Amino acid sequence: MTKKRILISMLVLLLAGWSSAATGDEDGSRLWLRLDPAATTATITGVKGTAMTELQTYWQGGPIVLKRQKGMPQDGYTIKSQGGKTVIAASGDAGLLYGAYHLLRLQQTGQPCDALDISEQPAYDLRILNHWDNPNGTVERGFAGKSIFLNPDPARMQMYGRANASIGINGTVLNNVNAKPEALSTESLLKAKGIADQLRPYGIRVYLSINFASPMRLGGLKTADPMEADVVKWWRDKVDEIYKLIPDFGGFLVKANSEGEPGPQDFGRTHADGANMLAGVLRPHKGIVMWRAFVYNPQSSDRANQACEEFMPFDGKFADNVIIQIKNGPVDFQPREPYSPLFTAMKQTAMMVEFQITQEYLGAANHLVYLAPMWREFFSFVKPSSLRAMAGVANIGDNVNWCGHHFAQANWYAFGRLAWNPSLTSGQIAEEWLAQTFFAPNDNTPQACKTQILDVMLASHEACVSYMMPLGLHHIFAGNHHYGPEPWYKPAGVRADWTPPYYHKADATGLGFDRTLKGSANVRQYPDELCRLYNDINTCPENVLTWFHHVPWDHKMKSGRIFWDELCHKYDDGVHQARHFLAVWDALQPYVDGQRFGEVQRKLRIQARDAEWWRDACLLYFQTFSKRPIPQDMEHPVHNLDEMMQFRIRISNYENPACGYTK
Amino acid sequence: MTKKRILISMLVLLLAGWSSAATGDEDGSRLWLRLDPAATTATITGVKGTAMTELQTYWQGGPIVLKRQKGMPQDGYTIKSQGGKTVIAASGDAGLLYGAYHLLRLQQTGQPCDALDISEQPAYDLRILNHWDNPNGTVERGFAGKSIFLNPDPARMQMYGRANASIGINGTVLNNVNAKPEALSTESLLKAKGIADQLRPYGIRVYLSINFASPMRLGGLKTADPMEADVVKWWRDKVDEIYKLIPDFGGFLVKANSEGEPGPQDFGRTHADGANMLAGVLRPHKGIVMWRAFVYNPQSSDRANQACEEFMPFDGKFADNVIIQIKNGPVDFQPREPYSPLFTAMKQTAMMVEFQITQEYLGAANHLVYLAPMWREFFSFVKPSSLRAMAGVANIGDNVNWCGHHFAQANWYAFGRLAWNPSLTSGQIAEEWLAQTFFAPNDNTPQACKTQILDVMLASHEACVSYMMPLGLHHIFAGNHHYGPEPWYKPAGVRADWTPPYYHKADATGLGFDRTLKGSANVRQYPDELCRLYNDINTCPENVLTWFHHVPWDHKMKSGRIFWDELCHKYDDGVHQARHFLAVWDALQPYVDGQRFGEVQRKLRIQARDAEWWRDACLLYFQTFSKRPIPQDMEHPVHNLDEMMQFRIRISNYENPACGYTK
């Protein structure tokens, strides 16, 4: 060892010691990458780059060789133990980096690392975060502070790169799908270039959301008609400008003719016309267009029908570098939706799923809701191989702990892991996340506690569905936020499909939206077998029952209860589960640092109270239609409907409620 | 029937029909006297008076004879079926009235009335309500509106008289024990005379609370020294003035040298000097003095010791028309206290118990807490025969339903019934109150529902103790009200015995006030057997454990749990009971009028939420000392200590909180 190296080692030791002594408390800023720098630098040889520096800093094992190897699949890697060394091989830097993080994960979770024979490749080439960040730094449906891209902090950008690379995410859309034309101004592009340069070492490409009317509103043209030559030229020039700054720029994400955003239909053109024009100017640079299918208009009698109605005519009409980006469900990121039938209807179009990592409809950054089970449920209906890529709306902000809720980090993590390999189970992912985030290989946390918190994660999405919208209920949120319940919200003048009664259709006879062949016929958009299953109230899975049926209050459920009683019990079960989560967490107090323990505990308490709010508001409101008693064998509502109807949370779309129901 | 009588009957029928048609909803103003006027007037002969008019209006059975009969005990009566008639006999009007109400109660509760042989006499001659009403109409610890005596409404006074007579109450103290000197002004006395005149037909005498300094502050004398001749003369003149206006005036209630009120000690005299002087001027008129033993001063190391310390020296020294009025417990109407040892210590002094009907420390008019079990518990330690009389601090105001909470009426009712016969069980009283107040003899309410709500009443006091102050805890209320928890309240400069830590003494070793022989020796004030029982932590009843002991957190309880765990479970049990009460009530919806159902339901919801507030605030606060986890097998706190510590309810001592915890 040189003197210099000894000095550095001492410094590292000192820092590590200081950090564990001074903290005990952790702030969550290290996410799941909580390895302390290794005491001595391991011998890493071979390809220089981020993989090497990460291993040099954190690897605590024997020598590693980083090897470039032709013919391997993009981003794939092998890790093999060979003659006392560990060899990571890949065709390029990204694969080596993913291999390095794989190895570090094994080390951090205490797996044996001495007889490795690993071969990995991702299910999708494109694994992309969508940031809904606005130019002023607000984040739409962001519950963790301001945009990290507003004034990109180098250390923060580095950590963002490491975190994403460690789970295989290789693309990021920097701005909100409700995009301002200024997103393409030279000033913005220079900023994007700065970010791209910071993320490139971590294998991450940047993308931008664009406003379809940019040629007019930014370029001063008279039209944005995609068939007009100067519009196409404007786009071509703009794209050339971008690629000069960012040679590996990924492409555009487009929300067009949706919720007031401009699109080709404003100029008498189709989604295909618009998407293909952009695809054309991007093709020379190998850029892509991700064209969103999230469309609905107030005239349709069933919002759930509209993506298919608008997009099916263009199946097979899109250019090969266009991918249609479809939300997992046909409405909008509800706690539970059936899958969007567009996924199985379209046969000749490249598709990608858009999951929402940020919990817009799932308790924001206050509720512990682990989303992997929800995404896995989607994949049980939509074959992973039928998709070209995966996108996730990020839950990241400038909060110290990145996501507002320590457990929300698990959703970022799980999204990345599933985009790499959608056949990983929710439990596998949660277990490895917990092991890295809260525990250490040889810590003294009893196995029972670890199992219980794992069970909490796995049960949390279903619990949230139970206390918010069980049995297929959807979109009964408050008028001015998507956090609490207002199933009664229906002020005059608001378009019907923005009010809960449009969705729940409660009346004296029952509850739910008749989407059968006798109703809106939404079931017809599904493959025949599913169509028959959903169409019959006696075969329709009960977890989507009121999604597809207007269910009579006395409909007999599989439990033997009538529907009303079952609904009551579901809500009450959700409340009890939320309380149970708190109890499980509390038992972990001796084993989790004080800061994170307290912060999570505070959130779990909010969640337990909110669960009661949901149960009481929804049951008491629906009871005004069902005219039936709350079953005697469950806990009864403790709030009053009239008081809850007066209660308001005044928040914007850019913030997390400080707490939930406070009456 | 004369024409006039037929007309009256028709009018009565009309009114009855109107009332039952228009209501369905009831407002509770009729209390437990919900008999509709009878369709035809029964034949009532004999002694004219209130008994006769009440029977003429409400009795639906055969002929009744009201008979005066010498030699019967005061207020006693017999009811006998004789030759097709029912004969009520008593030595005076009051006895006949009580007999008449007895008969009406049998009718209203559907008992057979054809073979009666009843003989009743009250346990006490004096059965007295204490109103803590102020001259401005506020009611101290009143949760049901303003004073009914502020502008006495004749119809209201009549109902007040009927209600009290129906349960045997025969005295009422019109004004607050914290009495203004002006209570004895001629203007006030004229007002008292008006009330006395209205209540006399119902056998009720009026009493007044007096301010001991009245001779100075009202009479302009230089002193109120009870040994000074002109002070005595002032009182004699004042008493003469009273009796001229109110010939059957009952006497004085005195709070002296307590909580800042003046008393004989201010002039170097004793409680006995003061009480006996007043007794002397009242004796010629057969008036009495009720002298309160509620005394404590901030210097004593144990407030619970002080009544005995101050009063025992005067045992046997009080005049024979003085009764020492002692609160049931040694501190102050806590959810649970051991009995005040003064009751068993004094051997030669007339004593009466002061119960608090108004729920100052028991959830005000928001919580359903039926108090008969608490009072019966007192009588299991203090023999009823050792007392001369019974007083109850009224829970009555000008609210439509009199008591703020429909179920609070049951406490007024139970107080009267127990003052008549302290050996009635809590269940008997609750059952007859429920039958009169909510049900009718042949209604369709399922017996199971009736049994369940009866069980709720019987369990309610213990439940309240559990969620507020289990295992002997006491006086951990908020600084500015006696409604919610603030076990942490201890601002600088506030006298210690007005702060919770004085009472709970939580520290790292345990919880509770050491009143053993090694501590404040309060146990020594009890009879030897009890002293030994209470003094030993292993024999001390657990429901008063922290009252007498500083209990180690890991003390082994009878359940096998350690003390901390037991405390947690008690609190949680209380929460679950409160929720259960709500469920039971909800099942009664089909059988109770909508207004009362809804009003009670709203209160029960507050109670369930408050129970959670209590549990969470107390456990989270005590946990900062116990440093032990909340047991895993119970529901965990869902509120945060810091948030609860910020929460304030801003109310005066004269109002019911609109709702409980609202964070």
Side-chain angles (χ1 to χ4, degrees):
Chain A
M1 263 192 187
T2 62
K3 271 189 188 171
K4 190 176 158 197
R5 195 149 261 209
I6 292 171
L7 270 173
I8 290 174
S9 297
M10 286 175 64
L11 192 66
V12 164
L13 275 170
L14 209 68
L15 281 168
W18 170 83
S19 126
S20 78
T23 57
D25 276 356
E26 293 193 36
D27 59 15
S29 61
R30 295 195 291 170
L31 296 160
W32 49 88
L33 296 175
R34 290 166 59 251
L35 280 175
D36 290 319
T40 56
T41 305
T43 309
I44 318 292
T45 54
V47 183
K48 290 192 173 25
T50 314
M52 181 176 277
T53 54
E54 285 291 291
L55 291 169
Q56 281 172 336
T57 312
Y58 298 104
W59 178 247
Q60 295 170 349
I64 294 176
V65 180
L66 295 167
K67 205 171 88 180
R68 203 167 269 134
Q69 188 169 313
K70 288 207 170 141
M72 287 182 64
Q74 187 187 324
D75 296 347
Y77 57 87
T78 57
I79 308 177
K80 296 192 169 145
S81 304
Q82 289 176 342
K85 294 184 175 178
T86 307
V87 179
I88 305 178
S91 64
D93 290 347
L96 291 174
L97 189 56
Y98 299 139
Y101 281 117
H102 191 136
L103 205 49
L104 289 170
R105 180 163 66 237
L106 294 179
Q107 171 184 294
Q108 198 180 342
T109 56
Q111 309 295 310
C113 295
D114 50 358
L116 300 175
D117 186 5
I118 292 165
S119 177
E120 282 274 345
Q121 69 178 93
Y124 304 113
D125 289 343
L126 303 173
R127 308 172 297 275
I128 303 182
L129 286 183
N130 290 185
H131 286 265
W132 287 357
D133 295 11
N134 295 317
N136 66 358
T138 58
V139 179
E140 181 150 346
R141 311 304 174 181
F143 309 113
K146 293 270 185 172
S147 169
I148 55 169
F149 303 127
L150 182 61
N151 299 299
D153 168 63
R156 191 89 175 170
M157 282 299 107
Q158 187 186 32
M159 187 66 195
Y160 176 82
R162 292 181 64 219
N164 280 323
S166 77
I167 51 176
I169 288 170
N170 70 348
T172 183
V173 183
L174 300 179
N175 62 321
N176 192 351
V177 288
N178 296 320
K180 304 267 184 264
E182 292 68 31
L184 296 179
S185 71
T186 300
E187 188 192 344
S188 299
L189 295 179
L190 283 168
K191 194 166 167 187
K193 171 198 159 46
I195 295 167
D197 290 345
Q198 291 181 285
L199 299 182
R200 192 169 293 110
Y202 299 95
I204 300 167
R205 290 184 173 195
V206 302
Y207 298 72
L208 290 172
S209 296
I210 58 106
N211 183 299
F212 199 79
S214 298
M216 300 164 71
R217 288 160 62 187
L218 187 67
L221 301 190
K222 290 244 163 61
T223 179
D225 180 346
M227 299 307 212
E228 284 287 332
D230 34 340
V231 171
V232 179
K233 178 179 188 305
W234 186 90
W235 280 111
R236 183 171 294 123
D237 293 347
K238 182 52 74 178
V239 164
D240 289 345
E241 181 189 355
I242 296 172
Y243 278 90
K244 272 196 194 102
L245 293 168
I246 311 170
D248 56 354
F249 179 73
F252 291 150
L253 173 61
V254 192
K255 175 177 180 177
N257 294 122
S258 166
E259 297 184 322
E261 296 299 328
Q265 292 170 352
D266 300 332
F267 310 96
R269 310 300 178 181
T270 68
H271 285 295
D273 295 333
N276 292 344
M277 178 276 290
L278 291 173
V281 298
L282 284 161
R283 183 176 294 109
H285 306 281
K286 302 198 173 137
I288 62 165
V289 173
M290 297 169 287
W291 191 270
R292 291 173 94 236
F294 178 64
V295 293
Y296 63 104
N297 71 60
Q299 274 72 50
S300 168
S301 61
D302 185 359
R303 174 172 167 182
N305 281 339
Q306 294 186 62
C308 275
E309 286 169 359
E310 278 204 36
F311 276 82
M312 283 310 293
F314 306 105
D315 188 20
K317 303 275 165 47
F318 290 98
D320 61 1
N321 60 335
V322 173
I323 310 178
I324 303 302
Q325 180 166 317
I326 310 167
K327 292 188 182 185
N328 58 293
V331 169
D332 189 13
F333 297 136
Q334 296 305 292
R336 167 166 281 120
E337 298 190 35
Y339 78 92
S340 169
L342 191 56
F343 283 108
T344 42
M346 289 212 290
K347 307 290 185 195
Q348 307 167 65
T349 301
M351 297 179 289
M352 62 194 291
V353 63
E354 177 179 314
F355 289 135
Q356 194 179 41
I357 307 169
T358 190
Q359 293 166 236
E360 173 178 357
Y361 295 98
L362 287 150
N366 287 337
H367 292 205
L368 189 169
V369 184
Y370 174 56
L371 296 175
M374 181 173 82
W375 300 331
R376 292 272 303 166
E377 184 174 303
F378 168 84
F379 282 122
S380 74
F381 290 91
V382 177
K383 267 192 292 189
S385 61
S386 68
L387 303 181
R388 176 79 61 88
M390 232 172 100
V393 181
N395 61 352
I396 295 164
D398 69 356
N399 275 6
V400 167
N401 71 20
W402 295 87
C403 302
H405 193 312
H406 292 286
F407 274 80
Q409 297 176 357
N411 292 328
W412 177 6
Y413 185 89
F415 170 78
R417 297 289 286 136
L418 284 174
W420 182 275
N421 181 2
S423 66
L424 288 175
T425 69
S426 305
Q428 278 174 287
I429 299 170
E431 203 167 353
E432 67 181 43
W433 176 80
L434 278 170
Q436 295 168 85
T437 307
F438 283 110
F439 308 121
N442 297 311
D443 69 7
N444 63 344
T445 314
Q447 188 52 48
C449 287
K450 291 183 179 178
T451 305
Q452 283 190 317
I453 191 65
L454 176 65
D455 289 346
V456 163
M457 290 181 71
L458 294 176
S460 60
H461 171 255
E462 200 63 47
C464 180
V465 169
S466 291
Y467 63 67
M468 284 185 178
M469 297 178 214
L471 301 175
L473 287 173
H474 51 290
H475 228 316
I476 55 177
F477 290 95
N480 75 322
H481 55 80
H482 292 160
Y483 184 77
E486 276 183 24
W488 51 81
Y489 176 79
K490 192 181 171 37
V494 171
R495 57 186 270 194
D497 58 356
W498 286 357
T499 73
Y502 174 94
Y503 299 96
H504 65 63
K505 302 208 188 298
D507 61 21
T509 66
L511 182 69
F513 197 132
D514 184 357
R515 294 189 165 107
T516 66
L517 296 174
K518 291 183 177 159
S520 78
N522 172 257
V523 292
R524 190 177 286 133
Q525 297 186 343
Y526 289 89
D528 287 351
E529 195 183 342
L530 274 179
C531 173
R532 279 194 297 275
L533 190 79
Y534 290 151
N535 191 55
D536 182 345
I537 194 170
N538 293 309
T539 59
C540 181
E542 291 188 347
N543 66 7
V544 289
L545 197 61
T546 66
W547 182 283
F548 287 115
H549 294 270
H550 189 68
V551 185
W553 296 114
D554 61 357
H555 172 73
K556 197 64 163 286
M557 303 290 284
K558 295 195 174 67
S559 65
R561 296 188 182 117
I562 61 165
F563 169 69
W564 164 251
D565 289 353
E566 184 82 358
L567 184 73
C568 292
H569 274 281
K570 281 281 176 197
Y571 270 110
D572 196 46
D573 288 349
V575 170
H576 282 87
Q577 280 186 280
R579 290 182 188 142
H580 169 69
F581 296 168
L582 183 53
V584 168
W585 182 251
D586 282 357
L588 278 166
Q589 183 158 20
Y591 313 111
V592 174
D593 59 285
Q595 180 175 348
R596 291 193 300 171
F597 175 80
E599 287 169 356
V600 170
Q601 185 191 49
R602 186 174 171 280
K603 300 279 189 183
L604 285 169
R605 288 180 175 159
I606 293 173
Q607 183 170 9
R609 300 196 304 264
D610 283 348
E612 230 180 50
W613 175 28
W614 273 98
R615 178 194 65 189
D616 293 3
C618 295
L619 289 184
L620 292 173
Y621 169 72
F622 291 137
Q623 194 181 29
T624 65
F625 298 96
S626 81
K627 311 277 188 204
R628 287 164 192 272
I630 310 281
Q632 284 304 301
D633 56 346
M634 60 170 268
E635 185 183 312
H636 276 220
V638 295
H639 300 103
N640 299 309
L641 183 56
D642 51 349
E643 286 172 7
M644 284 184 293
M645 289 177 77
Q646 301 306 316
F647 179 72
R648 296 279 182 282
I649 293 181
R650 310 230 175 255
I651 45 168
S652 68
N653 293 345
Y654 317 120
E655 60 193 308
N656 189 51
C659 47
Y661 188 65
T662 56
K663 279 296 283 184
Chain B
M1 261 189 187
T2 62
K3 273 189 184 169
K4 191 176 158 194
R5 194 149 263 204
I6 291 170
L7 271 173
I8 290 174
S9 297
M10 287 176 64
L11 192 65
V12 163
L13 275 170
L14 208 68
L15 282 168
W18 171 81
S19 128
S20 79
T23 56
D25 275 356
E26 294 194 34
D27 59 15
S29 61
R30 294 195 293 170
L31 295 160
W32 50 87
L33 297 175
R34 290 166 57 251
L35 279 175
D36 289 320
T40 56
T41 305
T43 308
I44 318 291
T45 55
V47 183
K48 292 193 168 30
T50 313
M52 182 176 278
T53 53
E54 286 291 292
L55 290 169
Q56 281 173 336
T57 311
Y58 298 105
W59 178 246
Q60 294 170 349
I64 294 175
V65 180
L66 294 167
K67 206 170 86 177
R68 203 166 269 134
Q69 188 169 313
K70 289 209 172 142
M72 287 182 64
Q74 189 189 322
D75 297 347
Y77 56 87
T78 58
I79 308 177
K80 294 192 170 144
S81 304
Q82 289 176 341
K85 295 185 174 179
T86 307
V87 179
I88 305 178
S91 64
D93 290 348
L96 291 174
L97 190 56
Y98 299 139
Y101 281 117
H102 190 135
L103 205 49
L104 289 169
R105 181 163 64 236
L106 293 179
Q107 172 185 295
Q108 198 181 341
T109 56
Q111 309 295 308
C113 295
D114 50 358
L116 301 174
D117 185 5
I118 291 164
S119 177
E120 282 273 345
Q121 69 179 93
Y124 305 113
D125 290 343
L126 303 173
R127 307 172 297 274
I128 304 181
L129 286 182
N130 289 185
H131 286 265
W132 287 357
D133 294 11
N134 295 317
N136 65 358
T138 58
V139 179
E140 181 150 345
R141 310 306 173 181
F143 309 114
K146 293 268 186 174
S147 170
I148 56 169
F149 303 127
L150 183 62
N151 300 300
D153 167 63
R156 191 88 174 170
M157 283 299 107
Q158 186 186 33
M159 187 66 193
Y160 176 81
R162 293 180 64 217
N164 280 321
S166 76
I167 50 175
I169 288 169
N170 70 348
T172 183
V173 183
L174 300 179
N175 63 321
N176 192 351
V177 288
N178 296 321
K180 305 265 185 265
E182 292 68 30
L184 295 179
S185 71
T186 301
E187 188 192 345
S188 298
L189 294 178
L190 284 167
K191 193 165 169 187
K193 173 200 158 44
I195 295 167
D197 291 345
Q198 290 182 284
L199 299 182
R200 193 169 292 112
Y202 299 96
I204 299 167
R205 290 183 173 196
V206 303
Y207 298 73
L208 290 171
S209 296
I210 58 108
N211 183 299
F212 199 80
S214 299
M216 299 165 70
R217 288 159 62 186
L218 187 66
L221 302 189
K222 291 242 161 61
T223 180
D225 180 347
M227 297 310 213
E228 284 288 333
D230 33 338
V231 170
V232 179
K233 180 181 184 310
W234 187 90
W235 280 110
R236 183 170 294 123
D237 292 348
K238 183 50 74 180
V239 164
D240 289 346
E241 180 189 355
I242 295 172
Y243 278 90
K244 274 199 192 98
L245 293 167
I246 311 170
D248 57 354
F249 179 72
F252 292 150
L253 173 61
V254 191
K255 175 178 181 177
N257 293 123
S258 166
E259 297 185 322
E261 296 298 327
Q265 291 171 352
D266 300 333
F267 310 97
R269 310 300 177 182
T270 68
H271 286 293
D273 296 334
N276 292 344
M277 178 277 289
L278 290 172
V281 299
L282 284 161
R283 182 176 294 108
H285 306 281
K286 301 192 174 144
I288 63 164
V289 172
M290 296 170 289
W291 191 271
R292 292 174 93 236
F294 179 64
V295 293
Y296 61 104
N297 70 61
Q299 275 72 49
S300 168
S301 61
D302 185 358
R303 173 172 168 183
N305 281 339
Q306 295 186 63
C308 276
E309 286 169 358
E310 278 203 37
F311 277 81
M312 282 311 293
F314 305 105
D315 188 21
K317 303 276 166 47
F318 290 99
D320 61 2
N321 60 334
V322 172
I323 311 179
I324 302 303
Q325 179 166 318
I326 310 166
K327 294 186 180 184
N328 58 293
V331 169
D332 189 12
F333 297 138
Q334 296 305 292
R336 168 167 281 122
E337 299 191 34
Y339 77 92
S340 170
L342 191 55
F343 284 108
T344 43
M346 289 212 290
K347 305 291 184 194
Q348 308 168 62
T349 301
M351 296 178 292
M352 61 194 291
V353 63
E354 177 179 313
F355 288 135
Q356 194 177 42
I357 307 169
T358 191
Q359 293 166 236
E360 173 178 356
Y361 294 98
L362 287 149
N366 287 338
H367 293 204
L368 188 168
V369 184
Y370 173 56
L371 296 175
M374 181 172 81
W375 299 333
R376 291 272 303 167
E377 184 172 303
F378 168 82
F379 283 123
S380 75
F381 290 92
V382 177
K383 267 192 291 187
S385 60
S386 67
L387 304 180
R388 177 77 62 86
M390 234 173 98
V393 181
N395 61 351
I396 295 164
D398 69 355
N399 276 6
V400 166
N401 71 20
W402 295 87
C403 303
H405 193 312
H406 292 285
F407 275 80
Q409 297 175 357
N411 291 329
W412 178 5
Y413 185 89
F415 170 77
R417 298 288 287 136
L418 284 175
W420 183 275
N421 181 4
S423 66
L424 288 174
T425 69
S426 305
Q428 280 176 284
I429 298 170
E431 203 166 354
E432 66 181 44
W433 176 81
L434 278 170
Q436 295 168 84
T437 306
F438 283 109
F439 307 122
N442 298 311
D443 69 6
N444 64 344
T445 314
Q447 188 54 47
C449 288
K450 292 183 179 179
T451 304
Q452 283 190 317
I453 191 65
L454 176 65
D455 289 345
V456 163
M457 290 179 72
L458 294 176
S460 61
H461 171 254
E462 200 62 47
C464 179
V465 169
S466 291
Y467 63 67
M468 283 186 178
M469 297 179 214
L471 302 175
L473 286 173
H474 52 290
H475 228 317
I476 56 176
F477 290 95
N480 75 324
H481 55 80
H482 292 160
Y483 183 77
E486 276 183 24
W488 51 80
Y489 176 78
K490 192 182 171 33
V494 171
R495 55 186 271 194
D497 57 356
W498 286 357
T499 72
Y502 174 93
Y503 298 98
H504 65 64
K505 302 207 188 300
D507 61 22
T509 66
L511 181 69
F513 197 132
D514 183 357
R515 294 188 166 108
T516 67
L517 297 174
K518 291 185 178 158
S520 78
N522 172 258
V523 293
R524 190 178 285 134
Q525 297 184 344
Y526 289 88
D528 286 352
E529 198 184 339
L530 274 179
C531 173
R532 277 192 300 274
L533 191 80
Y534 290 151
N535 191 57
D536 181 346
I537 194 170
N538 294 309
T539 59
C540 181
E542 291 188 345
N543 65 7
V544 288
L545 196 61
T546 66
W547 183 283
F548 288 114
H549 294 270
H550 190 67
V551 185
W553 295 114
D554 62 356
H555 173 72
K556 198 65 164 285
M557 303 291 283
K558 295 196 174 67
S559 64
R561 296 185 182 119
I562 62 166
F563 169 70
W564 165 251
D565 289 353
E566 183 81 359
L567 185 73
C568 292
H569 274 280
K570 280 281 174 197
Y571 271 109
D572 196 47
D573 289 349
V575 170
H576 283 86
Q577 281 186 278
R579 290 182 189 143
H580 169 69
F581 297 168
L582 182 55
V584 168
W585 182 251
D586 282 356
L588 278 166
Q589 183 158 19
Y591 314 110
V592 174
D593 59 284
Q595 180 175 349
R596 290 193 300 170
F597 175 80
E599 288 169 355
V600 170
Q601 186 191 48
R602 185 173 173 279
K603 300 278 189 183
L604 284 168
R605 287 178 176 161
I606 294 174
Q607 183 170 9
R609 300 196 303 263
D610 284 348
E612 231 180 50
W613 176 27
W614 272 98
R615 178 195 63 188
D616 293 2
C618 295
L619 289 184
L620 293 173
Y621 170 72
F622 290 137
Q623 194 180 30
T624 65
F625 298 97
S626 82
K627 310 278 189 204
R628 286 165 193 272
I630 310 281
Q632 285 305 299
D633 56 346
M634 59 168 270
E635 184 182 314
H636 276 220
V638 295
H639 300 103
N640 299 310
L641 183 57
D642 51 348
E643 285 173 7
M644 284 184 291
M645 289 178 78
Q646 301 305 318
F647 180 72
R648 296 281 179 281
I649 294 183
R650 311 232 174 254
I651 46 169
S652 67
N653 293 344
Y654 318 119
E655 61 193 308
N656 189 52
C659 46
Y661 187 65
T662 56
K663 279 297 281 187

